[in-house]
Amino acid sequence: MGQYVVTRILLIVPTLVLVMMIAFFLSRLVPGDQASSLLRLQGIQPEDKNAATEYVKNYIKFGMDKAVFYISVVPDYYPKNINALTSQNEREQVRQLLNQKIPFDDISRFITNKKIAASDELTLVGDSVSSQTLVQTLKKLDVISDFSEIYTLSTELSQNKGQNPSSVNALISSIDQMALSQKTWYYPIIYWHGMDNQFHRWFANMFKGDFGISNNDGRKVGHKILEAAKWTSILLLLNIIFSSMIAIPSGLYAGFRENSLFDKLNGFIWLIFYAMPVFWLASVLIIFFTSGRYGNFMNIFPTPGDWTFPSDLSVPAIVSKFSQQLVLPVFCLVANDIAMLSRVVRNNVVEQKTKQYFAVAKAKGISDWKIMKNHLLPNVLLPVVTIIGSRIPAGLSGSLIIEVIFNIPGMGRLIFDSITTTDWNVVFSILLLVSIFTVVFMLITDIIYAIVNPKINTSLQ
Amino acid sequence: MKSKRNTSFRLSVCVLGLYIAVAVMSPFLAGSKAWICYVNKHLLFPKWQDKTPSIGSPDHNSICIYPIIPYDPLVTNISTDANLSPFSDQPGKSWRNRHWLGTDKLGRDVLSGMIYGTVTALQIGLISIFFAFIIGVTLGILSAYFRDDGISLNMVQLMGVFLAFIMGLFFLYWELAMYTISQWTWIIMISCVLLLIYAIKLLGRLKGIKKYPIPFDMMMVKVIEIRKSFPSIFILLTLSSLFSFPSIWNIILIITILGWIDFARYARAETLSVKEENFIVSAKVLGYDAWRIMYKQILPNIMPTLLVVGCFSISSAILLESTLSFLGMGLPVEQVTWGRMMSEGRTMQSWWLVVCPGLALFIIILCLNNIASMYQKTGTRGML
């Protein structure tokens, strides 16, 4: 057994690493980048003078100039690390030009020549029409990323080659060079970036418990998640308590009186609740039972939404404030969860009834109530407890939509709000934490199950 | 066994058939344009013709046949029809023009929306589960049939597979990143893959090189484990926010990616239990090749379980779709869905907008679950 536990714990490590890698690469796929989000948070507008320099500062602070992973496989004409270009516009332009299969060497020559020409242009601003158009064309070159358009601009420029300053002529020749060296085919090249990369940094931060800051309000993501986790765990706990309080007795009795009216009714009711979409149930309950619109007697529960803690933090005050609001959400969660639990209990009882101890107890004439309480329940309880445990990660998913509907500030509501406001740090931190929680919980329930049920094969084949 | 399929099973199948019929017939059931018009001796199909030819004013002989519900699901009418309850008296409406299930805040007809919402729900449920079924069952049977030692490759083949894998992923990624992918790219890539498979098969004939078993089953189990560690609704929300353009195909893609795992899991488990039985052993003795055994012997025997999983998967795919559209994510605004109608009803506090589409959703899920559990009771072995 000890060996089984140790092996299972060791086997979980590669899974966790892979889960983290998936979360990381998903987080790199999202639109927008964090440096400009921080810029917005700092109150710097994109057209401000210091925007560009502040952007570069943020960019380097977040380590976004590093390579993404330990290795990269790129086409042969790509640079080793395109993120090393710190200016946002420049990087975007280079990336677009690279996608049109133009080698990086020629692009970088074009960029430097463009910069030289732009600095030259300040000295040659004159009244003549040609210099005016020259300035305009140079400005256009900064924003255009379609190479055919760049090429047409350069042919326009080269028409009055004699009058152009030498820097502009160099720019024209570098554009010609780009046209000549445009590729049609490419092959992969593998680069090794060492330990100094974004993934390594991210991984290390996550291990230290540093999830970064929220792009919306600049608070620490860890704090936000901790606050939200409180509510989610309250919901989960209430869900488990109530669903087992209802499911275990009803399943026990239904299994004991197999195929009786109660058994059939029990199965039928829970089947209905199981098929009922939880968000539909929640919406219907909110509409009918939280307002006096359909008669005053229907206005039973308060409108959900006020989840701030009362000023005096005594237990009765908190309970009286939240208990009324929590009835509907917990009811929805329980209704959805109970069907499976009740069925598991029932099937376990049916299985236990074939055992000899049951027949003996019956033969001795013990009352039904005592048989259920003293004989069936202890035997059924252990597998049921592990099943309740294994349902907890699934309960997280279920509570997401309930939190959104009832405005409960839990983890589900937090991830939903963060997605709609593109606060990616929070989104992927929650995704990662929830997945790790799931993995660890599955491990724990597996081990407990193996301990309470020695019949299970622990040889790991 | 057949007699055990009682009334509730038959009823479920009938109701499911009704849903499919509604989805297929949706253009005939609701819409503001006529199907067929016979005007001035011209036969017209306004519903399917974008431009109506000018034929002058209709004479007294002209006939038009309209859909039963004369409203498009997306046509708004704020001035007169906004937020009507089904029971409110709708002045100036004949029984034909009545909004039987009311309207939303923009005056869109709820019944018409529900009919077109059925199309969306079934489209997403059936298409995504179809692809998930094919991928999952193939991989599940393969991994259980070959286990960790069924396929052995020599060093040359291994290197070939590795190289092909890296190159394939590389070109796929960069062609997608550069937006240069066309049907020619696909044709070239698929033919390259087929050629490579053939070459690798030929290379297997090389004698005297040590062979190494491929741990295919282990990889499969790991993939299943990793998928299981992401709670579905969390990963679904995250994935659907990655797409820059909302579209029904994104949702289908995501549900396929998330859904094939279930088929793979059950196909694998069932194949493992079937594999050791006598008819498979005798098929092997008869010298049938692996593909034939998998397709003709194993697949039909594990089909009942897969059907159960399929029914449950379709119902959960439909539920996921409505959950997503209820949350307002992933689907374009002009796509009519049950979930979006319900979320509008919730914010507007109009009960008919929540109750009616929700009832449609609830009934189809109930039917699918019922069919699945009936199959489960009567027709399957082991598992589940």
Side-chain angles (χ1 to χ4, degrees):
Chain A
M1 181 54 75
Q3 201 197 350
Y4 171 77
V5 173
V6 171
T7 335
R8 279 303 305 260
I9 291 173
L10 286 181
L11 272 176
I12 213 172
V13 174
T15 314
L16 281 179
V17 171
L18 281 170
V19 164
M20 287 184 92
M21 273 169 74
I22 290 173
F24 173 76
F25 281 108
L26 282 180
S27 74
R28 299 297 117 160
L29 284 176
V30 296
D33 76 53
Q34 213 191 337
S36 40
S37 307
L38 185 64
L39 216 59
R40 211 168 46 237
L41 208 62
Q42 289 162 337
I44 299 169
Q45 300 298 322
E47 53 284 351
D48 286 358
K49 265 186 190 160
N50 59 343
T53 51
E54 287 297 317
Y55 176 84
V56 173
K57 265 189 209 161
N58 292 342
Y59 191 76
I60 292 170
K61 187 177 131 203
F62 288 126
M64 289 164 77
D65 55 334
K66 306 283 195 309
V68 172
F69 198 55
Y70 298 101
I71 54 167
S72 63
V73 186
V74 290
D76 55 310
Y77 57 85
Y78 259 63
K80 187 176 175 187
N81 176 18
I82 192 175
N83 294 337
L85 300 170
T86 47
S87 157
Q88 193 179 14
N89 297 332
E90 193 182 309
R91 188 173 62 248
E92 213 34 60
Q93 196 185 23
V94 169
R95 190 169 277 154
Q96 300 275 344
L97 286 172
L98 281 170
N99 280 353
Q100 292 161 58
K101 299 201 176 76
I102 298 163
F104 180 65
D105 293 340
D106 297 314
I107 298 176
S108 58
R109 196 175 307 128
F110 161 69
I111 299 273
T112 42
N113 280 340
K114 197 176 68 183
K115 275 183 192 159
I116 294 169
S119 60
D120 248 15
E121 157 242 299
L122 291 173
T123 62
L124 74 239
V125 174
D127 306 324
S128 67
V129 183
S130 65
S131 65
Q132 285 287 341
T133 49
L134 193 64
V135 172
Q136 300 240 320
T137 322
L138 284 174
K139 270 189 184 153
K140 263 192 208 165
L141 277 180
D142 274 341
V143 283
I144 293 175
S145 49
D146 185 9
F147 183 65
S148 56
E149 280 179 41
I150 292 179
Y151 195 70
T152 14
L153 278 182
S154 98
T155 45
E156 274 170 28
L157 277 180
S158 61
Q159 275 165 5
N160 45 3
K161 215 166 191 174
Q163 297 157 16
N164 282 342
S166 59
S167 60
V168 176
N169 282 336
L171 180 63
I172 293 169
S173 73
S174 69
I175 294 175
D176 288 343
Q177 180 59 36
M178 276 161 76
L180 282 176
S181 57
Q182 197 167 14
K183 298 222 170 191
T184 49
W185 188 241
Y186 54 92
Y187 55 89
I189 282 198
I190 301 175
Y191 287 113
W192 169 255
H193 297 288
M195 294 299 154
D196 194 18
N197 60 50
Q198 288 183 32
F199 176 72
H200 196 82
R201 195 186 150 116
W202 184 83
F203 198 87
N205 280 344
M206 287 285 161
F207 246 95
K208 278 184 273 174
D210 174 12
F211 297 100
I213 57 165
S214 159
N215 292 341
N216 281 347
D217 48 13
R219 287 172 61 205
K220 280 199 169 166
V221 174
H223 287 261
K224 278 183 111 167
I225 293 179
L226 213 63
E227 259 174 38
K230 199 165 54 192
W231 284 105
T232 305
S233 45
I234 288 175
L235 275 185
L236 271 180
L237 206 68
L238 287 176
N239 181 11
I240 292 167
I241 291 171
F242 282 104
S243 52
S244 38
M245 258 167 57
I246 300 170
I248 291 177
S250 73
L252 201 65
Y253 190 72
F256 188 71
R257 295 246 181 273
E258 202 186 342
N259 291 330
S260 68
L261 184 68
F262 180 82
D263 183 20
K264 280 176 183 157
L265 207 66
N266 190 44
F268 179 73
I269 291 173
W270 297 140
L271 189 75
I272 298 278
F273 274 120
Y274 185 63
M276 203 173 274
V278 62
F279 60 94
W280 181 51
L281 185 63
S283 308
V284 169
L285 289 177
I286 283 188
I287 285 184
F288 285 111
F289 294 113
T290 63
S291 73
R293 183 178 302 223
Y294 305 105
N296 267 333
F297 66 96
M298 298 278 265
N299 190 4
I300 304 168
F301 300 104
T303 314
D306 181 17
W307 299 96
T308 50
F309 276 93
S311 52
D312 103 80
L313 275 171
S314 62
V315 176
I318 293 176
V319 168
S320 71
K321 178 166 184 192
F322 295 134
S323 57
Q324 283 178 320
Q325 289 191 67
L326 275 172
V327 171
L328 289 183
V330 171
F331 174 76
C332 294
L333 283 175
V334 168
N336 208 250
D337 247 24
I338 215 165
M340 192 198 170
L341 211 58
S342 175
R343 194 152 122 191
V344 168
V345 178
R346 179 195 170 273
N347 290 351
N348 263 304
V349 170
V350 170
E351 192 196 313
Q352 293 292 329
K353 268 165 64 182
T354 58
K355 301 270 170 67
Q356 279 189 347
Y357 74 84
F358 180 78
V360 171
K362 271 266 183 199
K364 274 161 77 180
I366 303 175
S367 70
D368 288 353
W369 163 248
K370 275 195 173 157
I371 291 180
M372 278 196 276
K373 192 179 70 148
N374 296 340
H375 297 267
L376 286 177
L377 188 62
N379 281 302
V380 169
L381 214 52
L382 272 180
V384 168
V385 165
T386 50
I387 279 167
I388 292 174
S390 67
R391 291 280 300 164
I392 288 178
L396 279 177
S397 276
S399 68
L400 186 144
I401 191 132
I402 287 296
E403 283 167 14
V404 172
I405 293 176
F406 287 94
N407 266 327
I408 304 170
M411 297 243 275
R413 169 128 202 117
L414 185 61
I415 197 174
F416 176 71
D417 285 348
S418 307
I419 286 174
T420 47
T421 54
T422 65
D423 192 352
W424 300 116
N425 262 347
V426 180
V427 173
F428 288 101
S429 305
I430 293 182
L431 184 70
L432 187 71
L433 283 180
V434 166
S435 319
I436 291 175
F437 175 76
T438 312
V439 172
V440 172
F441 226 91
M442 284 198 296
L443 173 80
I444 292 172
T445 42
D446 272 7
I447 290 175
I448 292 177
Y449 200 69
I451 290 171
V452 297
N453 192 355
K455 275 187 287 180
I456 213 161
N457 189 2
T458 54
S459 63
L460 287 163
Q461 297 162 23
Chain B
M1 281 296 173
K2 277 236 164 82
S3 62
K4 271 209 154 188
R5 289 180 185 169
N6 46 21
T7 353
S8 94
F9 179 82
R10 288 205 198 103
L11 195 69
S12 303
V13 172
C14 287
V15 173
L16 197 64
L18 195 71
Y19 271 89
I20 293 171
V22 166
V24 171
M25 302 286 286
S26 59
F28 299 101
L29 289 176
S32 51
K33 282 183 170 177
W35 322 329
I36 294 180
C37 274
Y38 186 70
V39 185
N40 293 357
K41 294 179 182 166
H42 290 275
L43 198 59
L44 299 173
F45 301 93
K47 191 150 186 92
W48 291 276
Q49 282 169 326
D50 288 340
K51 266 193 211 155
T52 338
S54 54
I55 42 165
S57 59
D59 56 13
H60 62 279
N61 277 333
S62 53
I63 293 175
C64 277
I65 303 178
Y66 281 89
I68 300 164
I69 297 141
Y71 294 106
D72 268 338
L74 287 170
V75 170
T76 58
N77 185 356
I78 308 177
S79 53
T80 55
D81 288 2
N83 226 10
L84 290 176
S85 156
F87 301 130
S88 67
D89 51 332
Q90 299 170 4
K93 301 261 184 219
S94 63
W95 67 269
R96 217 185 104 68
N97 285 336
R98 201 183 150 79
H99 296 284
W100 287 104
L101 292 181
T103 57
D104 65 0
K105 63 170 184 246
L106 296 178
R108 292 175 289 197
D109 189 57
V110 173
L111 186 53
S112 169
M114 273 173 66
I115 289 169
Y116 282 90
T118 317
V119 181
T120 313
L122 285 181
Q123 222 176 351
I124 289 179
L126 296 179
I127 297 177
S128 57
I129 295 307
F130 173 75
F131 287 122
F133 185 91
I134 291 179
I135 299 172
V137 171
T138 313
L139 288 176
I141 294 181
L142 280 177
S143 73
Y145 189 83
F146 289 119
R147 298 305 301 265
D148 287 342
D149 46 7
I151 311 174
S152 305
L153 298 179
N154 60 36
M155 213 53 206
V156 185
Q157 284 175 307
L158 272 179
M159 275 160 69
V161 169
F162 183 70
L163 214 65
F165 192 67
I166 294 285
M167 294 290 267
L169 273 185
F170 169 77
F171 282 114
L172 193 64
Y173 176 79
W174 285 105
E175 289 291 300
L176 280 174
M178 292 178 188
Y179 302 109
T180 50
I181 205 149
S182 64
Q183 68 266 51
W184 288 108
T185 327
W186 289 113
I187 291 171
I188 292 171
M189 280 183 77
I190 289 169
S191 46
C192 280
V193 166
L194 291 178
L195 262 177
L196 263 168
I197 290 173
Y198 188 66
I200 284 164
K201 210 177 163 192
L202 281 187
L203 282 171
R205 294 189 188 164
L206 287 173
K207 293 266 157 48
I209 310 179
K210 197 181 169 222
K211 289 199 167 188
Y212 299 92
I214 306 249
F216 190 60
D217 196 32
M218 201 187 80
M219 291 194 265
M220 203 65 214
V221 172
K222 208 76 203 168
V223 169
I224 292 172
E225 197 186 323
I226 285 170
R227 161 65 188 87
K228 282 278 139 201
S229 58
F230 289 107
S232 1
I233 190 91
F234 282 82
I235 190 80
L236 190 77
L237 277 181
T238 316
L239 285 180
S240 67
S241 64
L242 295 183
F243 291 95
S244 39
F245 300 104
S247 143
I248 185 172
W249 291 101
N250 298 343
I251 305 297
I252 290 177
L253 182 72
I254 295 172
I255 294 180
T256 308
I257 291 173
L258 299 182
W260 69 269
I261 296 284
D262 281 332
F263 290 102
R265 245 174 76 211
Y266 286 106
R268 181 177 169 277
E270 285 287 291
T271 309
L272 283 180
S273 73
V274 167
K275 220 180 103 181
E276 305 303 329
E277 288 192 24
N278 278 338
F279 64 94
I280 303 287
V281 178
S282 27
K284 276 184 190 163
V285 171
L286 281 171
Y288 292 163
D289 65 43
W291 301 107
R292 196 201 140 122
I293 293 176
M294 279 186 267
Y295 185 66
K296 290 229 162 138
Q297 266 79 29
I298 293 180
L299 186 61
N301 274 290
I302 66 172
M303 210 53 179
T305 311
L306 297 180
L307 283 181
V308 173
V309 181
C311 281
F312 277 129
S313 296
I314 293 173
S315 85
S316 71
I318 291 175
L319 188 63
L320 279 180
E321 178 268 314
S322 349
T323 310
L324 266 191
S325 49
F326 183 83
L327 294 174
M329 311 207 59
L331 282 169
V333 189
E334 66 274 7
Q335 189 82 40
V336 189
T337 59
W338 293 332
R340 215 207 48 224
M341 295 166 81
M342 279 186 260
S343 80
E344 261 169 35
R346 187 173 69 89
T347 49
M348 289 298 294
Q349 294 274 317
S350 16
W351 62 266
W352 59 94
L353 263 176
V354 174
V355 171
C356 304
L359 212 57
L361 178 64
F362 166 62
I363 289 173
I364 194 172
I365 289 175
L366 190 65
C367 286
L368 282 165
N369 286 356
N370 201 10
I371 291 171
S373 54
M374 287 292 159
Y375 258 119
Q376 200 173 328
K377 272 181 202 154
T378 54
T380 62
R381 64 173 78 219
M383 236 18 237
L384 278 163

